[in-house]
Amino acid sequence: MPVPASFNDITQDPHLENYIGWVWYEKEVLLPQRWLQNDLSTRVVLRFGSAHYYAIVWVNGVQVVEHEGGHLPFEADISRIVQRSRGVPCRITVALNNTLTPHTLPPGSIQYMNDKTRYPKNYFVQNTRFDFFNYAGIHRPVVLYTTPSVYIDDITVTTTSSESVAMVQYQISVVGSELYSLSLSLRDQEGKVVATGSGPAGELKVPNPNLWWPYLMHESPGYRYFLEVKMQAQASGVPQEDIYTLPVGIRTVHVTSTQFLINGKPFYFHGVNKHEDADIRGKGLDWALIVKDFNLLRWLGANSFRTSHYPYAEEIMDLCDTYGIVVIDECPGVGIKMPESFGNKSLQHHLVVMEELIRRDKNRPSVVMWSVANEPASELPPAAYYFKTLIAHTKALDPSRPVTFVSDTNYALDHGAPYVDVICVNSYFSWYHDSGHLEVIPLQLTAQFENWYKTYKRPIIQSEYGADSVPGLHSDPPAMFSEEYQKALLKEYHSVFDKKRKEYVIGELIWNFADFMTNQGVTRVLGNKKGIFTRQRQPKSAAFVLRERYWKIANESSCLPPIIKSLSSQHVVHGITDYIISLV
């Protein structure tokens, strides 16, 4: 079985495609001899980018780590095990279980079908309350790496800035000894040292800083400095040195009652929701697909996306930092619908997940807001304590970013909304209700915005909207599932967005960037078709509607020179091309 990949679609076995339960992976590797020669000074670590959902790992038959959760990294120090077994292969064994319960994230339930006249013996199904396929497997890279026995364990960086100076605050954790020294140097992209420091905590002063700006908001989006941290120590009389370089983007985030400010300037989210999803490999990391998606985002004129509905791979987040794509970083809290999923057991796990997510992504300039859930049953009374506790915990872990969750609950019944900094709301007018009646969208969408803002006085993001369209299916007048209907629905939403973004609406994220796989059902023909691109990343008609809109918004709000539009409507890449030409 290839790694990284989901196991579901690799074989021709339909049983494996929908398999629920334990699967086993095993691999033998030969480690470099230099890793094994000095027992005292070398630390060998086994790291998993993610494994869905519950993982137990053994090395040479010895259990080294357990981890619950399908989208975040975990690791184990395996030094003593491999250093005792010199000259033999290192055998790595993984047991993986994708069963979801009311207390996992995302939640689910197992339903046994006991009617023997209708179902085979021991027949059961995995029920979930989310609309994407529950792919499973080792989805991200597995690596072995080394550090000294005294090593840099964690770095936390926050930044503040004014017109002429920026301050980079840092905290560094060292493990393995209390006797060590730390020296720091901050370099710009040309390699010039702009600030130096020492010690485990402090502040670096950066004169005339280059700020990290979002894509289309500056001529040099995604500008990053590089913080080199050098640790020197003695362990059992042996000199130890560990060096780590952390990319640092200097930027600030602030939320008012009507605006979202990045570096003190209003930022409007014109972006997408995505999924880690593709043919054959499922949710497995695919570099070619990732790069293709970023090219499409830039072609589209999108400046942002939400990691719906789980943390994405670190490789994706690296590109967001590099290209200036703004991220609402969402944990796997999707489908929290059952009352038992709001109890203490579920809450405790949710708190741990947020700790793991923030530890992973806290230093990323692209991440401007945390999302703790998507479409929970926040109308239930227990949701008040649940989200009050969860959001307070998230803010305590990271006071520098706003926190939200995405709601589809009636504004007057939502027990979690009082605790968020930004209102994120999903709605599908003229799709899931009033189906086919595009004329209701202006009235219903306007009422939605006005009710939420009147109640909470916080800025609003339309975090999902859209319609399914089958590629190549056409109808005039527009009919549901045709490309024309998807286009028409988007335009009705956009007319309301244009009015309300002058007031307190701060963003719009289309559902979805691309078609994706779901469970089989009578409303799903080989998956969800709400993408503006097909699953193979070919544009539907709606992609061109959204592209024209996003570049228009970028031209209105950008500090860049105006983008010169091509005289030919057939010039497919005029936005990006002219943007690049204007910088030459």
Side-chain angles (χ1 to χ4, degrees):
M1 186 60 63
V3 172
S6 302
F7 60 71
N8 308 78
D9 295 342
I10 300 295
T11 75
Q12 300 307 109
D13 185 354
H15 176 68
L16 188 61
E17 182 180 23
N18 295 289
Y19 180 79
I20 302 295
W22 290 101
V23 297
W24 293 79
Y25 292 78
E26 190 163 79
K27 184 177 181 65
E28 290 188 345
V29 296
L30 291 172
L31 302 183
Q33 283 299 312
R34 60 186 177 82
W35 288 16
L36 310 176
Q37 288 171 353
N38 191 333
D39 290 0
L40 298 178
S41 62
T42 301
R43 175 174 168 264
V44 182
V45 181
L46 172 63
R47 186 182 193 271
F48 290 77
S50 78
H52 189 76
Y53 171 79
Y54 187 86
I56 306 174
V57 182
W58 294 263
V59 172
N60 294 343
V62 179
Q63 184 176 326
V64 294
V65 67
E66 293 185 37
H67 184 262
E68 180 180 357
H71 308 279
L72 290 165
F74 58 97
E75 63 183 29
D77 184 338
I78 63 170
S79 310
R80 297 299 168 257
I81 297 170
V82 297
Q83 289 165 354
R84 288 197 304 261
S85 307
R86 298 178 189 176
V88 300
C90 172
R91 187 177 76 255
I92 301 167
T93 308
V94 182
L96 198 59
N97 195 317
N98 62 340
T99 304
L100 301 179
T101 75
H103 308 298
T104 58
L105 277 185
S109 62
I110 297 295
Q111 180 181 2
Y112 286 91
M113 303 301 189
N114 296 320
D115 186 344
K116 295 180 181 179
T117 66
R118 302 181 62 193
Y119 301 100
K121 185 179 179 180
N122 298 323
Y123 189 86
F124 68 90
V125 293
Q126 169 80 79
N127 292 321
T128 59
R129 299 291 296 273
F130 51 82
D131 187 30
F132 55 91
F133 193 82
N134 186 34
Y135 280 113
I138 301 176
H139 286 151
R140 296 174 190 161
V142 182
V143 298
L144 287 157
Y145 70 92
T146 63
T147 72
S149 59
V150 184
Y151 61 96
I152 300 166
D153 179 59
D154 192 28
I155 304 171
T156 302
V157 168
T158 56
T159 63
T160 57
S161 65
S162 63
E163 290 185 3
S164 59
V165 66
M167 306 303 293
V168 178
Q169 298 85 21
Y170 64 88
Q171 288 186 322
I172 301 166
S173 169
V174 172
V175 172
S177 175
E178 295 182 359
L179 301 175
Y180 59 85
S181 64
L182 287 166
S183 60
L184 298 87
S185 59
L186 187 70
R187 299 177 184 272
D188 63 18
Q189 290 190 353
E190 287 69 48
K192 178 184 175 183
V193 175
V194 297
T196 59
S198 61
E203 192 171 57
L204 304 178
K205 184 177 181 180
V206 184
N208 302 313
N210 291 302
L211 302 183
W212 187 95
W213 287 100
Y215 176 52
L216 299 177
M217 210 171 171
H218 192 269
E219 292 180 347
S220 301
Y223 190 96
R224 293 177 299 165
Y225 293 85
F226 297 92
L227 179 64
E228 181 185 272
V229 180
K230 180 182 291 186
M231 185 280 305
Q232 293 181 313
Q234 291 278 334
S236 302
V238 178
Q240 301 268 303
E241 183 177 74
D242 193 17
I243 300 174
Y244 191 89
T245 301
L246 177 73
V248 174
I250 298 175
R251 65 106 182 90
T252 60
V253 172
H254 182 64
V255 177
T256 73
S257 62
T258 59
Q259 291 182 314
F260 195 99
L261 304 175
I262 295 181
N263 298 331
K265 293 189 176 182
F267 177 77
Y268 187 79
F269 295 79
H270 46 91
V272 302
N273 294 276
K274 295 182 89 276
H275 266 302
E276 289 182 319
D277 173 276
D279 293 325
I280 301 173
R281 84 247 338 134
K283 291 191 181 301
L285 182 81
D286 184 326
W287 261 117
L289 186 73
I290 290 169
V291 173
K292 176 67 173 179
D293 282 1
F294 272 83
N295 277 300
L296 289 174
L297 287 170
R298 288 157 61 86
W299 174 86
L300 193 64
N303 63 7
S304 53
F305 65 78
R306 174 170 62 121
T307 66
S308 46
H309 298 298
Y310 39 81
Y312 290 177
E314 290 157 288
E315 291 83 353
I316 294 174
M317 305 301 286
D318 287 342
L319 290 181
C320 291
D321 289 339
T322 301
Y323 288 115
I325 302 297
V326 169
V327 178
I328 300 173
D329 207 350
E330 189 162 274
C331 82
V334 57
I336 307 176
K337 300 292 189 180
M338 296 174 284
E340 55 265 47
S341 296
F342 288 94
N344 287 336
K345 185 176 181 179
S346 296
L347 177 58
Q348 185 59 42
H349 176 53
H350 207 149
L351 298 178
V352 171
V353 169
M354 290 310 302
E355 290 170 7
E356 292 183 5
L357 174 58
I358 290 171
R359 178 180 171 90
R360 193 193 77 163
D361 289 347
K362 63 187 173 183
N363 294 321
R364 296 190 177 279
S366 61
V367 175
V368 299
M369 185 159 57
W370 306 111
S371 172
V372 299
N374 177 77
E375 296 185 355
S378 48
E379 73 280 2
L380 298 177
Y385 175 78
Y386 190 95
F387 284 107
K388 179 180 180 181
T389 305
L390 179 61
I391 291 172
H393 184 68
T394 302
K395 289 186 174 184
L397 293 168
D398 178 18
S400 71
R401 290 178 177 88
V403 181
T404 189
F405 73 85
V406 176
S407 179
D408 65 348
T409 298
N410 182 284
Y411 74 96
L413 303 176
D414 197 312
H415 293 290
Y419 306 106
V420 303
D421 298 300
V422 174
I423 299 293
C424 289
V425 60
N426 295 348
S427 56
Y428 289 90
F429 303 123
S430 87
W431 189 256
Y432 289 121
H433 51 84
D434 297 304
S435 304
H437 293 280
L438 296 167
E439 66 274 12
V440 306
I441 293 175
L443 182 64
Q444 294 182 6
L445 185 57
T446 299
Q448 167 197 280
F449 287 141
E450 291 178 352
N451 287 331
W452 278 98
Y453 190 75
K454 178 179 63 178
T455 305
Y456 298 104
K457 295 293 191 294
R458 293 184 179 94
I460 301 172
I461 296 174
Q462 182 73 40
S463 40
E464 289 183 25
Y465 72 105
D468 287 77
S469 70
V470 177
L473 183 64
H474 297 285
S475 175
D476 186 23
M480 292 180 70
F481 294 96
S482 69
E483 292 195 38
E484 286 76 15
Y485 191 88
Q486 188 181 38
K487 286 170 53 179
L489 183 143
L490 265 56
K491 289 180 179 180
E492 292 289 349
Y493 267 82
H494 295 164
S495 66
V496 179
F497 294 163
D498 285 338
K499 295 174 184 176
K500 293 303 179 182
R501 66 188 174 98
K502 298 174 183 176
E503 302 177 46
Y504 46 75
V505 170
I506 60 168
E508 55 192 77
L509 305 176
I510 186 71
W511 189 267
N512 192 281
F513 174 74
D515 295 344
F516 56 91
M517 188 52 64
T518 64
N519 289 333
Q520 296 186 61
V522 294
T523 63
R524 295 285 177 256
V525 182
L526 287 179
N528 189 304
K529 303 297 188 197
K530 291 188 179 67
I532 58 169
F533 297 99
T534 67
R535 203 182 190 205
Q536 294 72 36
R537 275 42 180 186
Q538 297 305 309
K540 303 178 189 177
S541 300
F544 297 94
V545 172
L546 209 62
R547 180 172 185 268
E548 181 177 358
R549 172 173 179 77
Y550 283 178
W551 281 100
K552 181 175 182 290
I553 293 173
N555 281 339
E556 292 172 358
S557 59
S558 176
C559 60
L560 296 172
I563 298 165
I564 304 169
K565 291 200 174 184
S566 166
L567 296 177
S568 170
S569 61
Q570 301 302 311
H571 184 41
V572 175
V573 294
H574 71 262
I576 292 288
T577 301
D578 293 330
Y579 171 63
I580 294 171
I581 290 172
S582 70
L583 301 183
V584 173

